[in-house]
Amino acid sequence: MNDIPVIISRLSESFLLNCRLFALTLLFSLPLGLLIAFGSMSRFRPLRWLVRTFVWIIRGTPLMLQLLIIYFAPGLLDMAFSWPGGTSGRFVAATVAFIINYACYFSEIFRGGIESIPQGQYEAGQVLGMTKRQIFFKVILLQVVKRILPPVGNEVITLVKDTALARIIANKEIIMMAGEYSSKGLIWPLFATGIYFLAFVGALTLLLDWLEKKLSYFRT
Amino acid sequence: MPILEVRDIEKNFGTLRVLRKIDFSLKKGETLAIIGSSGSGKTTLLRCLNFLERPDRGIIVVNNEVIFDAMDPDTQRESEVRKKRLHFGLVFQNFNLFPQHTVLKNVTLAMELLAKERPNYKQDKKAIMEEIQEKGKNLLSQVGLSDKLNCYPHMISGGQQQRVAIARALALEPDILCFDEPTSALDPELTGEVLKVIRNLAERNTTMIIVTHEMDFARDVADRVIFMDDGVIVEQGTPEEVFGNPREERTRQFLTRYKENSGNGSNADC
Protein backbone atom coordinates (compact mmCIF):
# COMPACT_ATOMS: atom_id res chain seq x y z
CA MET A 1 0.00 0.00 0.00
CA ASN A 2 2.70 2.44 0.92
CA ASP A 3 5.28 1.57 -1.69
CA ILE A 4 6.53 4.39 -3.83
CA PRO A 5 5.33 3.36 -7.33
CA VAL A 6 1.78 2.89 -6.05
CA ILE A 7 1.75 6.28 -4.37
CA ILE A 8 3.19 7.97 -7.40
CA SER A 9 0.65 6.42 -9.71
CA ARG A 10 -2.18 7.49 -7.38
CA LEU A 11 -0.77 11.03 -7.21
CA SER A 12 -0.52 11.13 -10.99
CA GLU A 13 -4.05 9.87 -11.35
CA SER A 14 -5.38 12.57 -9.04
CA PHE A 15 -3.31 15.22 -10.81
CA LEU A 16 -5.28 14.34 -13.94
CA LEU A 17 -8.27 15.91 -12.20
CA ASN A 18 -6.30 19.13 -11.76
CA CYS A 19 -5.33 18.98 -15.43
CA ARG A 20 -8.87 18.35 -16.62
CA LEU A 21 -10.21 21.17 -14.48
CA PHE A 22 -7.45 23.45 -15.81
CA ALA A 23 -8.12 22.61 -19.46
CA LEU A 24 -11.90 22.89 -19.26
CA THR A 25 -11.69 26.17 -17.36
CA LEU A 26 -9.38 27.70 -19.96
CA LEU A 27 -11.39 26.38 -22.87
CA PHE A 28 -14.62 28.00 -21.69
CA SER A 29 -13.52 30.97 -19.61
CA LEU A 30 -11.47 32.60 -22.39
CA PRO A 31 -14.40 33.02 -24.82
CA LEU A 32 -16.82 33.72 -21.97
CA GLY A 33 -14.41 36.35 -20.70
CA LEU A 34 -14.43 38.03 -24.11
CA LEU A 35 -18.22 38.09 -24.03
CA ILE A 36 -18.20 39.61 -20.54
CA ALA A 37 -15.62 42.17 -21.70
CA PHE A 38 -17.96 43.27 -24.49
CA GLY A 39 -20.79 43.48 -21.96
CA SER A 40 -18.75 45.67 -19.65
CA MET A 41 -17.94 47.98 -22.57
CA SER A 42 -21.50 48.06 -23.88
CA ARG A 43 -22.95 51.45 -24.75
CA PHE A 44 -26.26 50.21 -23.33
CA ARG A 45 -25.93 51.44 -19.79
CA PRO A 46 -28.12 48.89 -17.90
CA LEU A 47 -26.21 45.98 -19.46
CA ARG A 48 -22.87 47.56 -18.70
CA TRP A 49 -23.94 48.22 -15.14
CA LEU A 50 -25.24 44.68 -14.69
CA VAL A 51 -22.10 43.07 -16.08
CA ARG A 52 -19.76 45.26 -14.05
CA THR A 53 -21.68 44.49 -10.87
CA PHE A 54 -21.42 40.80 -11.62
CA VAL A 55 -17.67 41.10 -12.19
CA TRP A 56 -17.37 43.02 -8.93
CA ILE A 57 -19.17 40.27 -7.02
CA ILE A 58 -17.12 37.46 -8.54
CA ARG A 59 -13.80 39.21 -8.13
CA GLY A 60 -14.80 40.50 -4.71
CA THR A 61 -15.54 37.14 -3.06
CA PRO A 62 -13.28 34.15 -2.52
CA LEU A 63 -13.26 31.45 -5.17
CA MET A 64 -13.58 28.98 -2.31
CA LEU A 65 -16.87 30.54 -1.27
CA GLN A 66 -18.11 30.45 -4.85
CA LEU A 67 -17.25 26.77 -5.10
CA LEU A 68 -19.28 26.01 -1.96
CA ILE A 69 -22.25 28.11 -3.02
CA ILE A 70 -22.38 26.75 -6.54
CA TYR A 71 -22.15 23.18 -5.29
CA PHE A 72 -24.56 23.36 -2.34
CA ALA A 73 -27.05 26.08 -3.32
CA PRO A 74 -29.18 24.04 -5.73
CA GLY A 75 -29.86 21.39 -3.09
CA LEU A 76 -30.20 23.67 -0.06
CA LEU A 77 -32.42 26.24 -1.80
CA ASP A 78 -34.70 23.53 -3.24
CA MET A 79 -33.96 24.58 -6.79
CA ALA A 80 -35.48 22.62 -9.65
CA PHE A 81 -31.94 22.16 -10.91
CA SER A 82 -29.44 19.90 -9.23
CA TRP A 83 -25.94 18.62 -9.91
CA PRO A 84 -25.50 15.03 -11.01
CA GLY A 85 -24.72 12.76 -8.07
CA GLY A 86 -21.33 11.52 -6.95
CA THR A 87 -17.91 12.48 -8.19
CA SER A 88 -19.07 13.72 -11.58
CA GLY A 89 -21.46 16.20 -9.94
CA ARG A 90 -18.69 17.56 -7.76
CA PHE A 91 -16.38 17.92 -10.70
CA VAL A 92 -18.96 19.64 -12.90
CA ALA A 93 -19.84 22.08 -10.10
CA ALA A 94 -16.17 22.91 -9.57
CA THR A 95 -15.64 23.41 -13.31
CA VAL A 96 -18.60 25.77 -13.53
CA ALA A 97 -17.36 27.81 -10.57
CA PHE A 98 -13.86 28.05 -12.02
CA ILE A 99 -15.12 29.05 -15.47
CA ILE A 100 -17.25 31.88 -14.08
CA ASN A 101 -14.50 33.08 -11.75
CA TYR A 102 -11.74 33.08 -14.34
CA ALA A 103 -13.95 34.52 -17.09
CA CYS A 104 -14.44 37.59 -14.90
CA TYR A 105 -10.71 38.08 -14.39
CA PHE A 106 -10.00 37.49 -18.07
CA SER A 107 -12.76 39.94 -19.05
CA GLU A 108 -10.98 42.77 -17.29
CA ILE A 109 -7.68 41.91 -18.97
CA PHE A 110 -9.46 41.78 -22.34
CA ARG A 111 -11.20 45.09 -21.68
CA GLY A 112 -7.92 46.76 -20.82
CA GLY A 113 -6.31 45.29 -23.94
CA ILE A 114 -9.13 46.27 -26.26
CA GLU A 115 -9.35 49.80 -24.88
CA SER A 116 -5.59 50.24 -25.24
CA ILE A 117 -5.74 49.90 -29.03
CA PRO A 118 -5.59 53.38 -30.57
CA GLN A 119 -8.84 54.73 -31.98
CA GLY A 120 -7.01 55.30 -35.25
CA GLN A 121 -6.93 51.55 -35.91
CA TYR A 122 -10.74 51.39 -35.82
CA GLU A 123 -11.03 54.52 -37.93
CA ALA A 124 -8.59 53.19 -40.52
CA GLY A 125 -10.77 50.09 -40.82
CA GLN A 126 -13.96 52.15 -40.99
CA VAL A 127 -12.82 54.42 -43.80
CA LEU A 128 -11.83 51.30 -45.74
CA GLY A 129 -15.42 50.11 -45.57
CA MET A 130 -14.87 47.27 -43.12
CA THR A 131 -17.69 46.08 -40.90
CA LYS A 132 -17.31 46.23 -37.13
CA ARG A 133 -16.81 42.48 -37.07
CA GLN A 134 -14.11 42.61 -39.73
CA ILE A 135 -12.32 45.41 -37.91
CA PHE A 136 -12.34 43.43 -34.70
CA PHE A 137 -11.17 40.14 -36.15
CA LYS A 138 -8.83 41.35 -38.91
CA VAL A 139 -7.32 44.41 -37.27
CA ILE A 140 -7.84 44.62 -33.52
CA LEU A 141 -7.80 41.09 -32.12
CA LEU A 142 -4.21 40.07 -32.82
CA GLN A 143 -2.91 43.37 -31.46
CA VAL A 144 -4.93 42.78 -28.31
CA VAL A 145 -3.61 39.22 -27.99
CA LYS A 146 -0.05 40.47 -28.24
CA ARG A 147 -0.60 43.11 -25.59
CA ILE A 148 -2.44 40.94 -23.09
CA LEU A 149 -0.28 37.86 -23.34
CA PRO A 150 1.79 38.62 -20.20
CA PRO A 151 -1.17 39.29 -17.86
CA VAL A 152 -3.12 36.36 -19.32
CA GLY A 153 -0.07 34.19 -18.72
CA ASN A 154 -0.15 35.25 -15.09
CA GLU A 155 -3.78 34.22 -14.73
CA VAL A 156 -3.17 30.92 -16.47
CA ILE A 157 -0.35 30.09 -14.10
CA THR A 158 -2.47 31.06 -11.12
CA LEU A 159 -5.22 28.81 -12.45
CA VAL A 160 -2.92 25.77 -12.40
CA LYS A 161 -2.45 26.16 -8.67
CA ASP A 162 -6.02 27.25 -7.95
CA THR A 163 -7.29 23.90 -9.22
CA ALA A 164 -6.24 22.54 -5.83
CA LEU A 165 -9.16 24.49 -4.32
CA ALA A 166 -11.56 22.01 -5.91
CA ARG A 167 -10.94 19.76 -2.92
CA ILE A 168 -13.23 21.98 -0.84
CA ILE A 169 -16.20 20.21 -2.46
CA ALA A 170 -14.46 16.85 -2.18
CA ASN A 171 -12.88 16.60 -5.59
CA LYS A 172 -9.98 14.25 -5.16
CA GLU A 173 -7.26 16.39 -6.62
CA ILE A 174 -3.58 15.86 -6.03
CA ILE A 175 -3.08 17.79 -2.78
CA MET A 176 -6.10 16.12 -1.23
CA MET A 177 -4.63 12.78 -2.22
CA ALA A 178 -1.24 13.62 -0.75
CA GLY A 179 -2.95 14.93 2.38
CA GLU A 180 -4.42 11.50 2.99
CA TYR A 181 -0.90 10.08 3.11
CA SER A 182 0.39 12.81 5.37
CA SER A 183 -2.43 12.18 7.83
CA LYS A 184 -1.12 8.64 7.95
CA GLY A 185 2.33 10.03 8.76
CA LEU A 186 3.88 10.02 5.32
CA ILE A 187 5.11 13.49 4.40
CA TRP A 188 7.00 13.10 1.10
CA PRO A 189 3.92 12.79 -1.15
CA LEU A 190 2.99 16.33 -0.12
CA PHE A 191 6.38 17.56 -1.31
CA ALA A 192 6.00 15.50 -4.45
CA THR A 193 2.83 17.41 -5.40
CA GLY A 194 4.95 20.54 -5.57
CA ILE A 195 7.01 18.90 -8.29
CA TYR A 196 3.90 18.19 -10.36
CA PHE A 197 2.87 21.84 -10.16
CA LEU A 198 6.37 23.08 -10.89
CA ALA A 199 6.67 20.86 -13.94
CA PHE A 200 3.28 21.90 -15.27
CA VAL A 201 3.96 25.60 -14.77
CA GLY A 202 7.40 25.19 -16.28
CA ALA A 203 5.92 23.73 -19.44
CA LEU A 204 3.33 26.52 -19.56
CA THR A 205 6.03 29.15 -19.18
CA LEU A 206 7.87 27.71 -22.15
CA LEU A 207 4.65 27.73 -24.16
CA LEU A 208 3.92 31.35 -23.23
CA ASP A 209 7.46 32.43 -24.12
CA TRP A 210 7.09 30.70 -27.46
CA LEU A 211 3.78 32.45 -28.13
CA GLU A 212 5.29 35.79 -27.21
CA LYS A 213 8.14 35.18 -29.60
CA LYS A 214 5.69 34.15 -32.32
CA LEU A 215 3.98 37.51 -31.97
CA SER A 216 7.17 39.55 -31.89
CA TYR A 217 7.20 39.92 -35.68
CA PHE A 218 5.16 43.11 -35.38
CA ARG A 219 5.01 46.04 -33.00
CA THR A 220 1.90 47.76 -31.76
CA MET B 1 -20.93 69.55 -62.61
CA PRO B 2 -19.31 69.24 -59.18
CA ILE B 3 -18.33 65.81 -57.91
CA LEU B 4 -18.78 66.98 -54.32
CA GLU B 5 -21.16 69.49 -52.82
CA VAL B 6 -21.14 70.33 -49.15
CA ARG B 7 -24.08 72.42 -48.01
CA ASP B 8 -24.41 74.21 -44.72
CA ILE B 9 -22.55 71.70 -42.55
CA GLU B 10 -22.65 72.41 -38.87
CA LYS B 11 -21.01 70.42 -36.10
CA ASN B 12 -20.98 70.88 -32.34
CA PHE B 13 -19.13 68.99 -29.65
CA GLY B 14 -21.44 69.59 -26.71
CA THR B 15 -21.67 73.36 -26.48
CA LEU B 16 -18.52 73.87 -28.52
CA ARG B 17 -19.35 74.97 -32.07
CA VAL B 18 -16.70 73.38 -34.24
CA LEU B 19 -18.12 73.94 -37.70
CA ARG B 20 -20.62 76.49 -38.92
CA LYS B 21 -22.11 77.19 -42.33
CA ILE B 22 -19.61 75.11 -44.27
CA ASP B 23 -20.42 75.45 -47.98
CA PHE B 24 -18.20 74.44 -50.81
CA SER B 25 -18.04 72.28 -53.87
CA LEU B 26 -15.35 70.48 -55.75
CA LYS B 27 -15.05 69.52 -59.42
CA LYS B 28 -13.75 66.19 -60.63
CA GLY B 29 -9.97 66.21 -60.92
CA GLU B 30 -9.53 69.26 -58.72
CA THR B 31 -7.23 69.49 -55.74
CA LEU B 32 -8.54 71.47 -52.83
CA ALA B 33 -6.25 72.60 -50.03
CA ILE B 34 -7.73 73.54 -46.67
CA ILE B 35 -5.50 75.76 -44.57
CA GLY B 36 -5.92 77.44 -41.22
CA SER B 37 -4.55 77.33 -37.71
CA SER B 38 -4.96 74.40 -35.34
CA GLY B 39 -8.44 74.16 -33.88
CA SER B 40 -10.05 75.92 -36.81
CA GLY B 41 -12.12 72.84 -37.68
CA LYS B 42 -10.22 71.61 -40.75
CA THR B 43 -9.75 68.08 -39.46
CA THR B 44 -13.31 67.85 -38.17
CA LEU B 45 -14.55 68.81 -41.62
CA LEU B 46 -12.57 65.98 -43.21
CA ARG B 47 -13.83 63.58 -40.57
CA CYS B 48 -17.40 64.62 -41.34
CA LEU B 49 -16.88 63.85 -45.01
CA ASN B 50 -15.56 60.40 -44.07
CA PHE B 51 -18.43 59.68 -41.67
CA LEU B 52 -16.09 59.58 -38.69
CA GLU B 53 -18.12 62.44 -37.25
CA ARG B 54 -21.80 63.05 -37.83
CA PRO B 55 -22.64 66.66 -38.70
CA ASP B 56 -25.54 68.15 -36.76
CA ARG B 57 -26.77 69.97 -39.83
CA GLY B 58 -26.22 69.98 -43.52
CA ILE B 59 -26.07 67.87 -46.64
CA ILE B 60 -23.25 66.12 -48.47
CA VAL B 61 -23.76 65.31 -52.14
CA VAL B 62 -21.41 63.16 -54.20
CA ASN B 63 -22.04 62.67 -57.93
CA ASN B 64 -25.51 64.16 -57.52
CA GLU B 65 -26.41 61.57 -54.90
CA VAL B 66 -27.23 62.79 -51.40
CA ILE B 67 -24.97 60.60 -49.26
CA PHE B 68 -25.63 62.43 -46.04
CA ASP B 69 -28.51 64.55 -44.86
CA ALA B 70 -28.64 65.46 -41.18
CA MET B 71 -32.45 65.64 -41.45
CA ASP B 72 -32.80 62.20 -43.02
CA PRO B 73 -31.97 59.30 -40.70
CA ASP B 74 -32.16 56.89 -43.65
CA THR B 75 -28.84 58.25 -44.89
CA GLN B 76 -27.21 57.49 -41.55
CA ARG B 77 -27.90 53.79 -41.15
CA GLU B 78 -24.78 51.74 -40.45
CA SER B 79 -25.10 49.55 -43.56
CA GLU B 80 -25.68 52.57 -45.80
CA VAL B 81 -22.83 54.53 -44.31
CA ARG B 82 -20.40 51.69 -44.88
CA LYS B 83 -21.02 51.73 -48.62
CA LYS B 84 -21.24 55.49 -48.94
CA ARG B 85 -18.05 56.27 -47.14
CA LEU B 86 -16.23 54.44 -49.94
CA HIS B 87 -16.77 57.54 -52.06
CA PHE B 88 -14.03 58.97 -49.87
CA GLY B 89 -10.58 57.78 -48.98
CA LEU B 90 -8.72 59.15 -45.99
CA VAL B 91 -5.01 59.37 -45.27
CA PHE B 92 -4.41 60.02 -41.59
CA GLN B 93 -1.85 62.23 -39.93
CA ASN B 94 -0.52 59.22 -37.99
CA PHE B 95 -0.77 56.77 -40.91
CA ASN B 96 -2.71 54.21 -38.84
CA LEU B 97 -1.28 51.27 -40.74
CA PHE B 98 -2.21 47.83 -39.44
CA PRO B 99 0.95 46.75 -37.59
CA GLN B 100 0.40 42.99 -37.82
CA HIS B 101 0.01 43.00 -41.60
CA THR B 102 2.71 43.35 -44.22
CA VAL B 103 2.90 46.44 -46.39
CA LEU B 104 1.20 44.57 -49.23
CA LYS B 105 -1.50 43.16 -46.98
CA ASN B 106 -2.21 46.64 -45.61
CA VAL B 107 -3.07 47.66 -49.15
CA THR B 108 -4.99 44.52 -50.15
CA LEU B 109 -6.90 43.70 -46.94
CA ALA B 110 -9.90 45.94 -47.59
CA MET B 111 -10.09 44.82 -51.23
CA GLU B 112 -10.05 41.19 -50.15
CA LEU B 113 -12.82 41.73 -47.62
CA LEU B 114 -14.97 43.60 -50.12
CA ALA B 115 -14.37 40.92 -52.76
CA LYS B 116 -16.11 38.42 -50.50
CA GLU B 117 -19.32 40.29 -51.12
CA ARG B 118 -19.08 39.76 -54.87
CA PRO B 119 -21.58 37.18 -56.15
CA ASN B 120 -18.94 35.25 -58.10
CA TYR B 121 -16.44 35.19 -55.21
CA LYS B 122 -16.74 31.47 -54.46
CA GLN B 123 -16.21 30.22 -58.03
CA ASP B 124 -13.52 32.72 -59.00
CA LYS B 125 -11.78 33.06 -55.67
CA LYS B 126 -8.33 32.31 -56.99
CA ALA B 127 -8.51 34.68 -59.95
CA ILE B 128 -9.99 37.46 -57.83
CA MET B 129 -7.30 37.12 -55.20
CA GLU B 130 -4.54 37.16 -57.80
CA GLU B 131 -6.03 40.24 -59.37
CA ILE B 132 -6.10 41.94 -55.96
CA GLN B 133 -2.47 41.04 -55.24
CA GLU B 134 -1.48 42.44 -58.63
CA LYS B 135 -3.36 45.64 -57.97
CA GLY B 136 -1.77 46.01 -54.57
CA LYS B 137 1.70 45.59 -56.04
CA ASN B 138 0.95 48.13 -58.76
CA LEU B 139 -0.23 50.69 -56.24
CA LEU B 140 2.87 50.18 -54.14
CA SER B 141 5.13 50.59 -57.13
CA GLN B 142 3.24 53.79 -57.89
CA VAL B 143 4.32 55.18 -54.53
CA GLY B 144 7.85 53.80 -54.97
CA LEU B 145 7.70 50.92 -52.50
CA SER B 146 7.98 47.83 -54.68
CA ASP B 147 10.90 46.62 -52.61
CA LYS B 148 8.99 46.78 -49.30
CA LEU B 149 6.02 44.52 -50.06
CA ASN B 150 6.82 42.02 -47.33
CA CYS B 151 8.02 44.46 -44.69
CA TYR B 152 5.96 45.14 -41.60
CA PRO B 153 5.10 48.77 -40.87
CA HIS B 154 7.57 49.13 -37.97
CA MET B 155 10.43 48.19 -40.31
CA ILE B 156 10.02 51.19 -42.61
CA SER B 157 10.36 54.94 -42.13
CA GLY B 158 7.51 57.32 -41.39
CA GLY B 159 7.59 58.69 -44.92
CA GLN B 160 7.38 55.18 -46.32
CA GLN B 161 4.56 54.32 -43.95
CA GLN B 162 2.61 57.33 -45.11
CA ARG B 163 3.15 56.30 -48.73
CA VAL B 164 1.77 52.85 -47.88
CA ALA B 165 -1.23 54.59 -46.32
CA ILE B 166 -1.76 56.52 -49.55
CA ALA B 167 -1.61 53.31 -51.60
CA ARG B 168 -4.04 51.71 -49.16
CA ALA B 169 -6.49 54.59 -49.57
CA LEU B 170 -6.17 54.45 -53.36
CA ALA B 171 -6.89 50.72 -53.44
CA LEU B 172 -10.63 51.18 -53.13
CA GLU B 173 -10.65 53.82 -55.87
CA PRO B 174 -12.40 56.56 -53.95
CA ASP B 175 -13.99 59.43 -55.86
CA ILE B 176 -12.34 61.87 -53.49
CA LEU B 177 -9.11 61.27 -51.63
CA CYS B 178 -8.71 63.18 -48.38
CA PHE B 179 -5.46 63.92 -46.56
CA ASP B 180 -5.44 65.00 -42.94
CA GLU B 181 -2.15 66.82 -42.41
CA PRO B 182 -0.26 63.99 -44.13
CA THR B 183 3.19 65.29 -43.29
CA SER B 184 2.67 66.72 -39.79
CA ALA B 185 3.92 63.59 -38.03
CA LEU B 186 7.02 63.30 -40.20
CA ASP B 187 10.58 64.44 -39.76
CA PRO B 188 11.28 67.36 -42.07
CA GLU B 189 13.57 65.33 -44.30
CA LEU B 190 10.78 62.79 -44.90
CA THR B 191 8.00 65.18 -45.92
CA GLY B 192 9.40 65.62 -49.42
CA GLU B 193 8.83 62.04 -50.53
CA VAL B 194 5.21 62.12 -49.35
CA LEU B 195 4.50 65.48 -50.95
CA LYS B 196 6.01 64.18 -54.18
CA VAL B 197 3.54 61.28 -54.24
CA ILE B 198 0.64 63.66 -53.62
CA ARG B 199 1.90 65.98 -56.34
CA ASN B 200 2.00 63.02 -58.70
CA LEU B 201 -1.60 62.22 -57.91
CA ALA B 202 -2.59 65.83 -58.57
CA GLU B 203 -0.91 65.67 -61.96
CA ARG B 204 -2.97 62.60 -62.79
CA ASN B 205 -6.10 64.60 -61.92
CA THR B 206 -7.01 62.72 -58.78
CA THR B 207 -9.76 64.56 -56.94
CA MET B 208 -8.30 65.47 -53.57
CA ILE B 209 -8.91 67.45 -50.43
CA ILE B 210 -5.74 68.18 -48.49
CA VAL B 211 -5.70 69.63 -45.02
CA THR B 212 -2.18 70.94 -44.62
CA HIS B 213 0.19 73.31 -42.93
CA GLU B 214 2.57 73.18 -45.88
CA MET B 215 1.66 76.55 -47.40
CA ASP B 216 4.12 76.46 -50.27
CA PHE B 217 2.94 73.01 -51.21
CA ALA B 218 -0.72 74.05 -51.02
CA ARG B 219 -0.06 77.08 -53.18
CA ASP B 220 1.79 74.99 -55.68
CA VAL B 221 -0.37 71.92 -56.00
CA ALA B 222 -3.92 73.08 -55.25
CA ASP B 223 -6.46 74.26 -57.78
CA ARG B 224 -8.47 75.85 -55.04
CA VAL B 225 -7.80 76.88 -51.46
CA ILE B 226 -10.08 77.25 -48.47
CA PHE B 227 -8.95 79.22 -45.45
CA MET B 228 -10.77 78.29 -42.25
CA ASP B 229 -10.78 80.02 -38.93
CA ASP B 230 -12.84 79.34 -35.84
CA GLY B 231 -15.11 76.82 -37.55
CA VAL B 232 -16.07 78.88 -40.58
CA ILE B 233 -14.76 79.24 -44.10
CA VAL B 234 -13.30 82.72 -44.09
CA GLU B 235 -12.18 82.76 -47.66
CA GLN B 236 -11.97 80.49 -50.68
CA GLY B 237 -10.57 80.88 -54.15
CA THR B 238 -7.64 80.03 -56.37
CA PRO B 239 -4.20 79.86 -54.73
CA GLU B 240 -3.34 83.14 -56.44
CA GLU B 241 -6.36 84.80 -54.87
CA VAL B 242 -6.01 83.40 -51.37
CA PHE B 243 -2.23 83.53 -51.05
CA GLY B 244 -1.44 86.40 -53.40
CA ASN B 245 -4.27 88.73 -52.76
CA PRO B 246 -6.38 87.75 -49.74
CA ARG B 247 -9.61 89.69 -49.37
CA GLU B 248 -10.10 89.05 -45.67
CA GLU B 249 -8.11 90.57 -42.84
CA ARG B 250 -8.02 87.24 -40.94
CA THR B 251 -6.49 85.45 -43.93
CA ARG B 252 -3.85 88.13 -44.23
CA GLN B 253 -3.01 87.87 -40.54
CA PHE B 254 -2.73 84.09 -40.73
CA LEU B 255 -0.47 84.18 -43.78
CA THR B 256 1.73 86.87 -42.30
CA ARG B 257 2.09 84.95 -39.09
CA TYR B 258 2.93 81.84 -41.04
CA LYS B 259 5.59 83.62 -43.07
CA GLU B 260 7.19 85.11 -39.97
CA ASN B 261 7.35 81.70 -38.33
CA SER B 262 8.67 79.85 -41.33
CA GLY B 263 11.21 82.57 -42.08
CA ASN B 264 13.24 81.84 -38.99
CA GLY B 265 11.65 78.48 -38.39
CA SER B 266 14.53 76.40 -39.63
CA ASN B 267 16.63 76.94 -36.53
CA ALA B 268 13.91 77.68 -34.01
CA ASP B 269 13.07 74.77 -31.75
CA CYS B 270 9.93 76.15 -30.21
Side-chain angles (χ1 to χ4, degrees), chain A residues 121 123 126 129 138-139, chain B residues 47 82 85 97 100-101:
Chain A
Q121 290 290 309
E123 291 179 351
Q126 280 171 3
K138 301 285 180 184
V139 176
Chain B
R47 291 173 60 84
R82 196 168 72 82
R85 71 185 346 149
L97 293 183
Q100 75 271 42
H101 295 307

Side-chain angles (χ1 to χ4, degrees), chain B residues 109-153:
Chain B
L109 179 62
M111 291 192 279
E112 288 168 16
L113 294 173
L114 279 173
K116 287 185 185 166
E117 292 169 28
R118 289 193 218 169
N120 61 340
Y121 178 71
K122 281 218 171 91
Q123 304 98 281
D124 304 339
K125 187 173 173 182
K126 210 172 161 208
I128 290 176
M129 281 307 183
E130 267 168 26
E131 174 197 316
I132 289 174
Q133 299 305 308
E134 251 345 273
K135 190 170 169 189
K137 287 176 192 167
N138 280 335
L139 285 164
L140 283 164
S141 90
Q142 220 184 95
V143 298
L145 291 173
S146 291
D147 53 338
K148 303 285 182 195
L149 299 182
N150 298 317
C151 292
Y152 288 90

Side-chain angles (χ1 to χ4, degrees), chain B residues 2-267:
Chain B
I3 194 167
L4 169 69
E5 275 177 87
V6 173
R7 289 190 215 134
D8 202 18
I9 290 285
E10 196 173 305
K11 175 72 189 171
N12 306 307
F13 289 131
T15 56
L16 186 70
R17 302 172 76 182
V18 195
L19 294 175
R20 277 170 294 156
K21 292 208 182 96
I22 301 291
D23 272 295
F24 68 90
S25 64
L26 191 65
K27 290 203 199 79
K28 193 167 163 53
E30 270 188 335
T31 298
L32 167 69
I34 304 180
I35 58 170
S37 44
S38 303
S40 59
K42 312 180 296 289
T43 294
T44 307
L45 174 56
L46 270 200
R47 291 173 60 84
C48 284
L49 294 178
N50 284 278
F51 293 90
L52 293 174
E53 304 286 352
R54 205 169 58 91
D56 299 309
R57 265 189 69 161
I59 294 177
I60 299 170
V61 183
V62 174
N63 283 331
N64 274 337
E65 180 199 358
V66 177
I67 64 161
F68 175 85
D69 181 348
M71 297 297 156
D72 181 1
D74 274 356
T75 64
Q76 298 165 31
R77 264 180 296 140
E78 176 80 27
S79 56
E80 289 290 299
V81 164
R82 196 168 72 82
K83 267 176 255 153
K84 285 174 176 172
R85 71 185 346 149
L86 292 178
H87 289 294
F88 295 91
L90 178 59
V91 175
F92 297 86
Q93 184 176 349
N94 298 316
F95 334 134
N96 292 337
L97 293 183
F98 306 132
Q100 75 271 42
H101 295 307
T102 62
V103 162
L104 180 60
K105 183 80 175 182
N106 263 278
V107 177
T108 57
L109 179 62
M111 291 192 279
E112 288 168 16
L113 294 173
L114 279 173
K116 287 185 185 166
E117 292 169 28
R118 289 193 218 169
N120 61 340
Y121 178 71
K122 281 218 171 91
Q123 304 98 281
D124 304 339
K125 187 173 173 182
K126 210 172 161 208
I128 290 176
M129 281 307 183
E130 267 168 26
E131 174 197 316
I132 289 174
Q133 299 305 308
E134 251 345 273
K135 190 170 169 189
K137 287 176 192 167
N138 280 335
L139 285 164
L140 283 164
S141 90
Q142 220 184 95
V143 298
L145 291 173
S146 291
D147 53 338
K148 303 285 182 195
L149 299 182
N150 298 317
C151 292
Y152 288 90
H154 75 270
M155 300 156 80
I156 60 179
S157 74
Q160 291 169 332
Q161 288 188 47
Q162 191 60 300
R163 281 145 65 195
V164 176
I166 293 171
R168 181 175 73 172
L170 285 169
L172 298 181
E173 298 170 16
D175 295 315
I176 301 147
L177 185 55
C178 304
F179 294 83
D180 183 13
E181 301 188 19
T183 57
S184 294
L186 295 174
D187 291 339
E189 69 265 29
L190 299 177
T191 58
E193 56 186 83
V194 172
L195 295 181
K196 199 174 126 199
V197 167
I198 300 174
R199 198 184 300 263
N200 253 324
L201 291 171
E203 278 160 13
R204 295 169 168 215
N205 292 324
T206 313
T207 315
M208 294 189 285
I209 302 177
I210 309 171
V211 167
T212 184
H213 291 301
E214 302 275 342
M215 296 305 152
D216 297 332
F217 176 72
R219 183 173 192 159
D220 199 28
V221 88
D223 301 299
R224 295 199 319 112
V225 177
I226 283 179
F227 169 64
M228 284 182 71
D229 191 31
D230 206 17
V232 295
I233 295 179
V234 175
E235 184 159 355
Q236 52 178 312
T238 64
E240 291 74 31
E241 286 165 355
V242 176
F243 288 107
N245 191 15
R247 287 188 306 270
E248 301 290 330
E249 182 56 31
R250 272 194 283 177
T251 318
R252 236 168 283 156
Q253 279 174 4
F254 171 77
L255 291 171
T256 317
R257 231 176 26 233
Y258 171 78
K259 253 181 223 148
E260 281 167 5
N261 289 340
S262 62
N264 53 16
S266 51
N267 50 12

